[in-house]
Amino acid sequence: MMVFGRRCAPALAACCALLTAQPLGAEQFDGLYRISPTSDCALTGVDGGALKIEGGVFYGVESQCRMSVPVNVRDMDAVLYDMVCTGEGEEWTRRALLMTAADGGLIMLWNGFAFKYDRCPENPARGTVITSDEIGINE
């Protein structure tokens, strides 16, 4: 007994294509990003260090968020994620939109907040910039 006839083959192929089509993964955003011009790209997860995205996890200052349920934003290089975060002994969930900036950096939107981060160089030299005074930024 044949389960799928010749007439069903195109419909089956279309269904399989829809089921296997995946939204863009977090790997398109993998990398290190400067929180400020004085961020030390050789450090992550601490004040003064960089943000890191790797393997579907966003590493912030003393926190990390598992990025799940990616939804592509049509006609934009952007993806909306559910973020399951932990840090300082607590767990919380949020939604975040990540977008590649025109200069290759990262634009991140959290409900009510928008951030722009510059991408760190490939092999950051540790301790090249320590304070804002060293690069001429006065508070």
Side-chain angles (χ1 to χ4, degrees), residues 2-139:
M2 186 184 321
V3 176
F4 297 105
R6 288 184 189 195
R7 285 183 278 163
C8 294
L12 178 61
C15 286
C16 288
L18 285 174
L19 291 173
T20 59
Q22 297 289 321
L24 292 175
E27 60 274 351
Q28 84 178 79
F29 300 109
D30 278 3
L32 295 171
Y33 300 92
R34 293 182 185 276
I35 297 172
S36 72
T38 61
S39 295
D40 185 344
C41 289
L43 300 174
T44 58
V46 297
D47 284 329
L51 300 176
K52 178 179 173 183
I53 299 174
E54 182 177 66
V57 179
F58 171 83
Y59 299 92
V61 177
E62 297 181 14
S63 64
Q64 62 183 28
C65 300
R66 198 174 64 253
M67 303 161 64
S68 62
V69 193
V71 177
N72 292 326
V73 178
R74 182 175 27 96
D75 296 330
M76 299 174 74
D77 190 9
V79 181
L80 180 65
Y81 292 96
D82 288 349
M83 308 287 269
V84 178
C85 305
T86 57
E88 299 182 6
E90 296 188 32
E91 184 172 318
W92 65 95
T93 59
R94 299 282 188 276
R95 299 203 75 200
L97 183 119
L98 278 66
M99 175 187 300
T100 302
D103 65 1
L106 177 71
I107 296 171
M108 178 177 268
L109 304 173
W110 294 82
N111 189 23
F113 299 94
F115 303 95
K116 163 61 171 73
Y117 303 113
D118 293 326
R119 186 175 283 274
C120 288
E122 281 290 319
N123 295 309
R126 186 171 184 153
T128 55
V129 176
I130 298 172
T131 68
S132 58
D133 292 333
E134 290 180 352
I135 62 170
I137 298 175
N138 298 320
E139 295 179 39

